């Protein structure tokens, strides 16, 4: 059963490779080489951003707001009737 599935998946992958190589006008081996190089680039160069706690995010937000105030950028006035409308008790 799994052997049939593997053969079917291989055939599907091969047809997709053929279609994409025709679209790009390159050979299948060049296309596979591009895929491999792109994956190696992503493995080596992509660094996940560090996860921050809620306290760190609040501190960063306060620091950014203070920096904006010093630069003359103030928060825009908004309608208080719509702010927090989903958080109110019913």
């Amino acid at each position: 059963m799994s052997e049939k599935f593997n053969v079917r998946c291989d055939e599907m992958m091969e047809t997709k490779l053929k279609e994409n190589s025709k679209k790009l006008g390159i050979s299948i081996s060049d296309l596979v080489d591009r895929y491999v190089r792109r994956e190696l680039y992503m493995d080596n160069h992509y660094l996940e951003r560090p996860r921050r706690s809620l306290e760190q995010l609040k501190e960063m937000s306060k620091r950014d707001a203070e920096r904006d105030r010093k630069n003359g950028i103030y928060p825009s006035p908004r309608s208080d009737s719509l702010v927090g409308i989903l958080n109110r008790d019913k």
Side-chain angles (χ1 to χ4, degrees), residues 10 27 31 42-44 46 49 52 65 69 79 87:
D10 290 344
S27 67
L31 184 62
M42 293 299 289
D43 285 345
N44 291 335
Y46 177 73
R49 293 192 290 182
R52 303 187 194 282
R69 276 190 226 106
S79 172
N87 297 332

Side-chain angles (χ1 to χ4, degrees), residues 3-4 17-18 23 29 31 35 37 42 45 50 53 55-57 62 65-66 74 77 83:
E3 196 171 303
K4 280 186 172 183
L17 282 172
K18 285 180 183 177
K23 281 183 198 175
S29 61
L31 184 62
Y35 286 151
R37 276 191 275 140
M42 293 299 289
H45 296 287
S53 66
E55 292 81 23
Q56 289 173 331
L57 293 173
K62 287 178 186 177
E66 185 63 34
Y74 298 100
V83 174

Side-chain angles (χ1 to χ4, degrees), residues 44-87:
N44 291 335
H45 296 287
Y46 177 73
L47 300 175
E48 189 175 339
R49 293 192 290 182
R51 295 182 184 239
R52 303 187 194 282
S53 66
L54 183 60
E55 292 81 23
Q56 289 173 331
L57 293 173
K58 286 181 181 179
E59 183 62 35
M60 289 171 57
S61 176
K62 287 178 186 177
R63 189 175 50 228
D64 291 345
E66 185 63 34
R67 186 186 66 226
D68 287 346
R69 276 190 226 106
K70 285 181 182 177
N71 290 331
I73 302 170
Y74 298 100
S76 62
R78 58 182 182 237
S79 172
D80 289 338
S81 63
L82 297 178
V83 174
I85 197 167
L86 298 175
N87 297 332

